[in-house]
Amino acid sequence: MASRRRALLKIIILGDSGVGKTSLMNQYVNKRFSNQYKATIGADFLTKDTVIDDKLVTLQIWDTAGQERFQSLGVAFYRGAEACVLVYDITNPKSFEQLDSWREEFLHQAAPMDPDNFPFVLIGNKVDRESERRVSRQRALQWCKSKGSTPISYIETSAKEAVKVEGAFLEVVQMALINSAQQPPEIYVPEPITLSQAQTPYQSQSSVDSMCC
Amino acid sequence: MEDPAAQQRALAEGNKRVMQEAFLMKRATDASDTKSAFTHAGNMLKELKTTQLSPRNYYELYMKVLDELRHLEDFFTSQNRQARQPMVGLYEQAQACTMVLPRLYLLNTVGACYILSQEAPARDILKDLLEMTKGVQHPMRGLFLRNYFSHVTRDKLPDAGSPYEGDGGSVDDSVEFVLENFVEANKLWVRMHGQKGPSKDKKRRERERKDLRLLVGTNLVRLSQLEGVDGAKYKTDILPPILEQVVGCKDTIAQSYLMDCLIQVFPDEFHLASLEAFLDGVCRLKEKVRVRPVLESLMERIGNYVGEHPDALPKDVDAFRLLNDCVTRLVSERPKLELSEIILMQVALLQFASQCYPGRLEYINHCIGVCGRAMVSRGFEPLTGGRPARRDLPLECIEALLRLLSIPLKSLGLGVLSLAEYIDLLHFLPWESQKQVSLELLRSVLSKESALSDLDCVDRLLGMIAPILKDPPNGERGDGDAAMQAAQEEERRLVARVVHLMRNEDTDCYFRMLVVARRHLGQGSPSQVQYTLVPLVFRALGLARTIRAAEVADEEQAAAAETAAAAAAAASAATAKAEAEARATADAAEGGVNGGSGGGADDDGDADGDATNGGENGKEGEGGSDETEAAAAPAEGDEDSGETVAPAPAPAGESPATGAEGAGDDEGAFPPVPPAAAAVARPRQFSSRKVYQFLHEIVTAMAPLHPWVSLSLFLQCAIGADRTGFKAIAYEFFSQAFILYEDELSDSKAQVRALVSMAGTLLSCEGFDPVDYDALATKTAQYAAKLLKKPDQCRMVTLCSHLFWSPDEAAPGRRDARRVLECLQRSLKIADVCIAGGVNAQLFIEILNHYVFFFEADNPEIAGRYISGLVALIHEHVDSLDPSDARTEMERYLNNTLDHIRRKKEQADLPESLGKNFAWVTI
Ligand SMILES: Nc1nc2c(ncn2[C@@H]2O[C@H](COP(=O)(O)OP(=O)(O)OP(=O)(O)O)[C@@H](O)[C@H]2O)c(=O)[nH]1
Ligand SMILES: [Mg+2]
């Protein structure tokens, strides 16, 4: 089936509350922006099909809650991500200072095979408010250089005015593709099953299982 | 199950089985084998029935399953689109699964595809799914299942603008479904509270229950994402049922969590539109729910928003009143509310008011007042009059109060001083905390750098910072460690800087400010006044200069006007004007001692002592009331003398010609402000002399405690008075310095320093009459001669020789060649005694240098032979010394001096060079 041949890329967006994670995703996937702030609770994804180098890929973009108390079940969904987008708000130095902890937490929980070369992209959002900038481009680039052997890509965007949003995600997707090509695909090799163990739920008699729901 | 290892094992096994079945499921979908796909999907979903896992681990397993179900969704959709399989058939097939939980997951999966296919109205499918979902009543499984429903249908709701709107339903249907899912999820979650189990597990169960809260909250997120919902719909259709559920569930944890979610998840406009209902909900929460953080986060959120978008506040919503009513109601209905919580609610309200209603001082006063009353009602009282507190304020209350008090400081700065309640509340705080607020106030005032030009404001400001100025009511202000000293230094610097911010174009007002400042600063701790009063002295000196300049200008103008008036004396217009002026002056002199001052001013205005005094008295009369108020104002009696600032005794010993003599003709000679100027501008009330009286009083008051500082200040005042032409006053200040020297300075180092200052000051004063100058110079020289240590004596007497040889050749009575020589000879004698007593001969060389100086300066008494003799004497001394560092140094000093003399000798032939005298010097 075509549906299973299509490449699926899982991308996680992380960063402090209010930096614009949801806005970036909405701008990229739905081409919409709202000035209103609505907090994200938990995590959920949107999917988007896109063509890269003549290949059709489905992006599964996970938007997460920046407020820790809204992430009470943990971050199991980090696992299996092909790339991670770290976002900060250029008008909010605190959100920049938190980047390290977001990155470390991600590497810890997602436990990628090669953490040094795991593809991160750093987004400095809200460049439409350049006059209120409190984190210089220089400082961000410096941070990117200091992480791992290959510097992290850095892009400055405005989810509000759709500046470089498309480009930023393209960058992420390309890195994710390289990463997923290098990773051995997670192939499940079934164990031999003895027929006696196999049971099907489609037996006509009612099963005790159903009682406990 | 608590054991983490067992958890991990169970999770790993679950994961493995999910992968196995998912593998088989995907193989079936690849083969387009629907039946087998259902079978394996069902088997995979069976894993979610586990009771072994904690919520977090269950979540992990659930995420795995979710990931696999995505393939199934794709499969169903393509079966429908490509293989033209009707969705209803697939839906029925899913129904056939015998296990409840897997069946419901499958139905939700197919249901989502069904909606996508639009083969049936979205509304009907959603309704059906929700109905069936009720079948799972196990809390954790039910919560996750409902989360799955919410997840797969998130883009399938018949929302405004969605493809399913219309035949598929409306936004109202969407609202209804999501609300229902929310309500049911919350019920499941709340039910977990009462779950039975061993009591030792209770803590863990509570924690696990809290972990699951996310699954309830996401439903609210879903509601907030609906495009078809605006503020109005939120207010009528969404908020009421949510609040009903929140309030009705009667669960403390659920209530605080869901209120938090509501605030965070819905946009600001919605909150503003429905504030009243929301606040009513807050009031109906259980008493155990901490309402303060809820209100705090609401106010913070909309406060920031309105702060950035001032137009966002609806005209018909009085947000402050609503919030205030809510807070009031909470306080009255919840007697158990802690005092600190009450204060913190006011902190939030005040912060809100300063963001949304900047400039509404009544709101600020209100919040502060509420806190004050709350304090009193809880048995706390303000600390006034230095009494210690009967009951200590709890730490968290102190912190809350500090936060409260610092909010208006940020927005209003000095403006807080006009808030009556502000100062009152401040006094509830312990001394140290009051000090903290005072310091913050000072910093805020200084950061704005705006001048302090209002009398009242200065009065209140300095009154408020009493904790910085004064010692704590109980206990000493110890010197403390280095850190504490640094802190005190910083405090003094702040106070000094604030003093320097005082200014006013109107010299009368400015003077009153200084008087008020003096009163406050003077009440400070004795150890502080030497730091806080010093800047005040310098401000006052500046003011005296300013006033004096204006007085001189007035005099010149008056003189010119008089000449003109005399010329046009006959003109009737002039007569009329004079009458008007006379009236104006009489008005100005109202209440004055001397009613004739107006007439006096009409006089020639020349050096008429009586007219002057009369005029001044008249002016002072007007200012009298102010001064009685200001306790520190100089005594009225002083000014009658008119010439000296205070009845000061002359320095002991010989009595030089005092001001009494010189006064009548110079100091008293200033004419009063002429009426011409007075009619135009308000007559000046405080003369420059008045300022000197004030200075005299300040410095005298601090003298007993801080003689050294006071002595220096007296000398500064003397220079000031001299520069402004008040020689008698300058003399008086000198006399005061001398008295201090005699009575208070016993340390010989301090005496030497003082003498250097006195000599320097005296030299720079230019106005003294010769006889007065002579008296002061003689006195200084006598002090020098009486120093305890001979070397000090020697050096100071040498120094004093300069007092008799003014650099200014023309200065009358300032050059007395004889006395210069006497001084030098005297110091030589003293040096001789010193050297005989073992002090090294350096003193001689020093004196030699002075001889050379005066020789060059053409002092006729200093003969070249003295220099030659002295050089010979020094050589003799030096040669007798054993080699040593001291000797080397002395030789170097001597040689430098000799080099100088030699150079002068070489230049002897230059005609205009003073150096020609040196030809006769032999070395
Ligand atoms: N000016 C400007 N505002 C933006 C931009 N991106 C987002 N915002 C605003 O920033 C606020 C927060 O944006 P969100 O996208 O909700 O932030 P988030 O990172 O998802 O926050 P959490 O869900 O709490 O983690 C909203 O009010 C947005 O309108 C931007 O590029 N420029
Ligand atoms: Mg978000």
Side-chain angles (χ1 to χ4, degrees), chain B residues 807-861:
Chain B
D808 178 8
E809 242 175 296
R814 299 264 181 122
R815 283 199 167 189
D816 186 337
R818 190 75 230 145
R819 290 180 74 179
V820 172
L821 184 62
E822 279 167 21
C823 284
L824 293 182
Q825 283 174 340
R826 180 161 196 170
S827 45
L828 271 180
K829 266 191 213 125
I830 307 168
D832 206 35
V833 175
C834 291
I835 290 160
V839 176
N840 75 38
Q842 172 124 351
L843 280 174
F844 278 157
I845 314 181
E846 288 175 22
I847 298 168
L848 170 64
N849 273 279
H850 288 268
Y851 267 97
V852 171
F853 171 85
F854 286 113
F855 186 68
E856 274 180 55
D858 256 352
N859 184 316
E861 293 287 336

Side-chain angles (χ1 to χ4, degrees), chain A residues 16-23 37-41 63-66:
Chain A
D16 273 11
S17 175
V19 297
K21 299 179 295 295
T22 306
S23 302
Y37 169 61
K38 303 171 183 176
T40 305
I41 294 184
D63 179 27
T64 61

Side-chain angles (χ1 to χ4, degrees), chain B residues 130-429:
Chain B
L130 272 174
E131 202 47 45
M132 289 188 292
T133 303
K134 285 190 185 138
V136 179
Q137 285 297 317
H138 180 278
M140 184 157 86
R141 278 177 250 164
L143 278 167
F144 275 99
L145 176 63
R146 289 191 176 275
N147 189 253
Y148 185 65
F149 165 82
S150 168
H151 169 77
V152 280
T153 62
R154 71 196 187 287
D155 50 356
K156 312 278 183 336
L157 297 169
D159 187 13
S162 93
Y164 316 105
E165 198 194 8
D167 289 345
S170 66
V171 67
D172 293 326
D173 295 312
S174 307
V175 168
E176 190 190 316
F177 296 138
V178 183
L179 268 176
E180 180 183 337
N181 201 45
F182 161 72
V183 167
E184 294 302 322
N186 191 45
K187 283 181 183 162
L188 288 171
W189 186 46
V190 168
R191 264 222 338 258
M192 292 182 80
H193 180 57
Q195 262 178 356
K196 296 179 291 289
S199 62
K200 71 173 167 67
D201 285 350
K202 202 166 165 223
K203 264 227 177 79
R204 177 179 56 85
R205 281 205 313 274
E206 260 329 280
R207 197 182 59 235
E208 291 187 353
R209 179 168 94 96
K210 273 195 170 170
D211 286 347
L212 289 168
R213 65 184 187 257
L214 183 151
L215 302 174
V216 185
T218 40
N219 290 293
L220 299 181
V221 171
R222 206 63 77 216
L223 279 169
S224 80
Q225 286 167 338
L226 291 174
E227 292 287 333
V229 174
D230 58 8
K233 193 180 278 301
Y234 173 76
K235 183 180 175 180
T236 55
D237 297 352
I238 294 188
L239 184 64
I242 294 178
L243 284 178
E244 190 186 303
Q245 171 61 26
V246 173
V247 171
C249 78
K250 297 214 158 54
D251 181 280
T252 314
I253 292 176
Q255 287 189 341
S256 18
Y257 172 66
L258 292 172
M259 292 310 262
D260 183 24
C261 287
L262 270 176
I263 293 166
Q264 293 299 317
V265 152
F266 290 101
D268 303 275
E269 287 102 323
F270 288 19
H271 296 309
L272 287 170
S274 60
L275 203 52
E276 193 161 5
F278 183 88
L279 293 175
D280 179 62
V282 173
C283 290
R284 286 156 56 211
L285 297 176
K286 289 186 58 173
E287 188 160 5
K288 268 194 174 161
V289 174
R290 292 177 66 221
V291 283
R292 189 262 305 169
V294 174
L295 287 176
E296 214 170 54
S297 106
L298 176 74
M299 289 192 250
E300 187 185 318
R301 182 168 179 167
I302 52 183
N304 286 337
Y305 181 69
V306 176
E308 275 174 35
H309 312 90
D311 299 334
L313 204 59
K315 293 282 165 290
D316 56 335
V317 177
D318 186 352
F320 185 85
R321 187 183 56 78
L322 291 174
L323 288 161
N324 184 53
D325 287 351
C326 171
V327 169
T328 313
R329 187 172 149 196
L330 287 168
V331 173
S332 76
E333 287 175 2
R334 298 179 181 217
K336 285 193 208 130
L337 214 49
E338 305 233 346
L339 181 57
S340 58
E341 295 288 295
I342 296 176
I343 301 171
L344 285 173
M345 286 201 279
Q346 293 300 330
V347 169
L349 192 58
L350 182 52
Q351 181 70 41
F352 177 82
S354 66
Q355 280 172 304
C356 300
Y357 304 94
R360 295 283 287 267
L361 297 188
E362 73 269 29
Y363 287 167
I364 301 179
N365 239 346
H366 171 82
C367 296
I368 291 172
V370 168
C371 288
R373 288 188 290 281
M375 307 270 293
V376 172
S377 75
R378 306 272 168 133
F380 294 100
E381 52 189 21
L383 306 174
T384 41
R387 259 182 306 122
R390 261 198 299 141
R391 187 147 71 93
D392 283 342
L393 202 57
L395 201 60
E396 59 275 15
C397 292
I398 295 175
E399 275 163 12
L401 279 180
L402 284 175
R403 280 180 57 193
L404 184 82
L405 290 168
S406 86
I407 294 169
L409 273 186
K410 285 194 192 79
S411 55
L412 297 180
L414 269 181
V416 297
L417 297 174
S418 58
L419 302 174
E421 316 252 18
Y422 192 90
I423 314 278
D424 292 347
L425 191 60
L426 185 67
H427 290 143
F428 280 98
L429 285 172

Side-chain angles (χ1 to χ4, degrees), chain B residues 759-799:
Chain B
T761 306
L762 192 51
L763 269 175
S764 79
C765 285
E766 289 166 352
F768 286 125
D769 291 336
V771 55
D772 286 346
Y773 181 85
D774 187 65
L776 295 170
T778 306
K779 195 83 206 159
T780 309
Q782 282 171 354
Y783 291 145
K786 282 186 207 150
L787 284 167
L788 183 66
K789 293 184 183 154
K790 290 280 173 195
D792 288 343
Q793 253 182 34
C794 175
R795 289 195 169 100
M796 288 302 112
V797 169
T798 311
L799 182 73

